[in-house]
């Protein structure tokens, strides 16, 4: 088999077999597949698409192009993924809340993309917090603290890392097949038993319409299930920021206020509970999503989630007293200005994408 055979099949919309996907993914990871061939592959899929078996084959192949984590924990290994939004710091609440409910959460997260914020960028606003850890250290962190929010190592889905860069420079990013394989190859390489997906829709999301969001959500769920991971998805509104703040340190501050109960963002809390409820039901730790959401509520209300978050921060190099003194530990902007409305009235709408780009231009991007 060589690249030309695979490219011809995808070019002619004749599908992608598991053997072809495995060969191409290994070639992407090893360098045997050239940049020109990778670009042609991405564009052919962008134009012709893949059927469901081809999408599963590509996802599995990219997952298996590197290390796939194995776990031996006394509870289910679960995670969550969001397609990206503004003011969305759910991961900071959800990972420790799931851990407090009996899950083990190796949350491999990403950086900001375009106008959307990245979980790793937010956490690095915490002084000393390390997002780059080895696989061995990740195992220890998850075993000891039940959750760890870190970045993907170079050994996780290397085929995706190569193809993602190619897609970015060949105008082939906007493909549901390639988006699905990219997201899931990294998540499934974490060795998950269950995954909950937060697919955003609206002005601050990559999927602007409900039809687009539904198509992506269905593709993600079907492909993950086809690859052997119990998965569900919620489609959630991103026509305005989820939080009252936007920017890395500010979003951590708001998440901590909600975690500790000092100033609760109800929308952030409610979405955390909804996603967590789905995850607990999938993992067999709740009778259904409603029961699971109540368990997440309890983990947040009792402070158990905040305690676990503090343990994770300390284990990853952050301040030992972060939960108790987070307002003092987070950096503040050197210049703050109040902007007053020109007149009285109500906010009728927010262009979340424009607001996100303003944050990026102010230095709040990845």
């Amino acid at each position: 088999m060589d690249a030309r055979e695979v490219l011809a099949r995808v070019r002619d919309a004749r599908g992608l077999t598991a053997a072809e996907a495995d060969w191409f993914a290994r070639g992407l990871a090893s360098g045997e597949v050239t940049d020109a061939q990778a670009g042609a592959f991405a564009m052919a899929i962008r134009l012709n698409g893949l059927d469901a078996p081809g999408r599963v084959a590509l996802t599995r192949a990219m997952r298996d192009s590197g290390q796939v984590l194995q776990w031996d924990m006394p509870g289910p290994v679960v995670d969550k993924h969001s397609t990206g939004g503004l003011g969305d710091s759910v991961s900071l609440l959800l990972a420790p809340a799931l851990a407090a409910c009996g899950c083990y959460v190796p949350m491999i997260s990403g950086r900001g993309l375009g106008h959307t914020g990245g979980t790793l960028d937010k956490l690095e606003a915490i002084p000393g917090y390390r997002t780059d850890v080895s696989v061995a250290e990740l195992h220890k962190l998850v075993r000891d603290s039940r959750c760890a929010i870190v970045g993907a190592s170079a050994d996780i889905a290397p085929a995706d890392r190569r193809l993602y860069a190619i897609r970015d420079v060949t105008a082939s990013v906007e493909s549901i097949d390639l988006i699905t394989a990219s997201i899931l190859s990294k998540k499934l390489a974490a060795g998950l038993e269950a995954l909950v997906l937060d697919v955003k829709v609206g002005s601050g999301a990559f999927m602007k319409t409900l039809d687009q969001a539904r198509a992506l959500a269905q593709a993600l769920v079907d492909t993950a299930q086809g690859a052997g991971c119990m998965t569900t998805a919620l489609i959630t509104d991103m026509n305005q920021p989820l939080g009252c703040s936007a920017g890395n340190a500010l979003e951590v501050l708001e998440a901590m206020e909600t975690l500790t109960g000092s100033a609760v963002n109800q929308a952030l809390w409610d979405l955390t509970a909804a996603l967590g409820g789905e995850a607990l039901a999938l993992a067999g730790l709740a009778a259904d999503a409603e029961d699971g959401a109540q368990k997440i509520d309890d983990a947040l209300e009792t402070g158990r989630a905040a305690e676990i978050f503090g343990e994770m921060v300390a284990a990853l190099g952050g301040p030992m007293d972060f939960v108790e003194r987070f307002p003092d530990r987070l950096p503040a902007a050197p210049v703050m200005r109040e902007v007053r409305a020109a007149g009285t009235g109500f906010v009728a709408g927010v262009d979340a994408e424009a607001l996100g780009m303003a944050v990026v231009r102010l230095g709040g991007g990845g």
Side-chain angles (χ1 to χ4, degrees):
M1 189 180 298
D2 65 25
R4 287 171 294 184
E5 294 177 43
V6 180
L7 291 173
R9 281 184 59 88
V10 181
R11 178 199 65 197
D12 298 337
R14 289 185 283 127
L16 184 69
T17 68
E20 290 165 343
D22 287 340
W23 186 92
F24 207 87
R26 287 196 302 271
L28 283 168
S30 69
E32 184 176 352
V33 170
T34 67
D35 284 354
Q37 290 166 335
F41 180 78
M43 187 58 71
I45 292 177
R46 169 69 180 84
L47 295 176
N48 295 328
L50 293 173
D51 59 14
R55 198 184 296 137
V56 171
L58 181 59
T59 300
R60 280 178 163 164
M62 294 207 302
R63 175 197 68 188
D64 296 341
S65 67
Q67 187 169 6
V68 179
L69 304 185
Q70 303 291 327
W71 302 95
D72 182 19
M73 298 294 180
V77 178
V78 306
D79 197 4
K80 159 260 182 188
H81 177 79
S82 168
T83 58
L86 185 66
D88 179 5
S89 52
V90 164
S91 292
L92 278 62
L93 280 73
L94 184 57
L98 286 171
C101 293
C103 295
Y104 291 82
V105 190
M107 188 173 281
I108 296 177
S109 297
R111 299 198 176 275
L113 180 64
H115 65 280
T116 67
T119 298
L120 298 185
D121 304 315
K122 296 170 192 177
L123 287 169
E124 286 178 350
I126 301 174
Y129 192 101
R130 295 181 299 112
T131 58
D132 184 13
V133 301
S134 67
V135 170
E137 189 174 2
L138 176 59
H139 271 88
K140 185 177 187 307
L141 286 164
V142 173
R143 182 172 293 280
D144 293 348
S145 299
R146 289 188 174 234
C147 72
I149 308 177
V150 298
S153 74
D155 296 328
I156 298 293
D160 175 66
R161 184 175 293 104
R162 176 99 185 282
L163 188 59
Y164 190 94
I166 294 292
R167 287 166 56 208
D168 191 39
V169 298
T170 57
S172 54
V173 171
E174 296 86 355
S175 160
I176 283 182
D177 301 306
L178 294 173
I179 291 169
T180 297
S182 178
I183 289 172
L184 293 179
S185 61
K186 296 188 288 288
K187 284 295 178 183
L188 300 184
L192 305 178
E193 297 171 50
L195 173 66
V196 62
L197 299 161
D198 182 4
V199 178
K200 304 291 190 185
V201 63
S203 67
F206 289 110
M207 298 299 168
K208 304 299 184 186
T209 70
L210 190 55
D211 285 345
Q212 291 174 330
R214 282 178 175 150
L216 177 58
Q218 195 65 61
L220 286 164
V221 170
D222 290 347
T223 303
Q225 298 272 28
C229 180
M230 293 297 296
T231 304
T232 191
L234 299 182
I235 297 175
T236 66
D237 180 36
M238 190 42 68
N239 281 302
Q240 63 185 34
L242 180 61
C244 298
S245 303
N248 296 330
L250 292 175
E251 290 182 47
V252 175
L253 179 65
E254 188 167 10
M256 293 308 302
E257 288 174 341
T258 302
L259 262 179
T260 59
S262 57
V264 172
N265 176 325
Q266 197 60 50
L268 182 61
W269 181 301
D270 290 346
L271 182 53
T272 300
L275 290 165
E278 294 283 347
L280 292 177
L282 280 179
L285 295 178
D288 52 31
E290 184 177 353
D291 178 47
Q294 291 174 351
K295 292 179 186 299
I296 296 292
D297 283 340
D298 185 64
L300 295 171
E301 287 170 356
T302 61
R304 287 184 293 134
E307 182 181 350
I308 290 174
F309 187 84
E311 291 173 6
M312 180 189 73
V313 167
L316 282 161
M320 298 287 290
D321 61 352
F322 184 70
V323 171
E324 293 77 22
R325 301 193 60 186
F326 63 88
D328 302 326
R329 298 293 183 242
L330 289 166
V335 177
M336 298 184 193
R337 293 179 182 170
E338 186 179 79
V339 179
R340 292 181 173 272
T344 60
F346 299 91
V347 175
V350 177
D351 186 336
E353 182 173 0
L355 184 57
M357 292 309 301
V359 172
V360 170
R361 292 190 180 100
L362 287 168

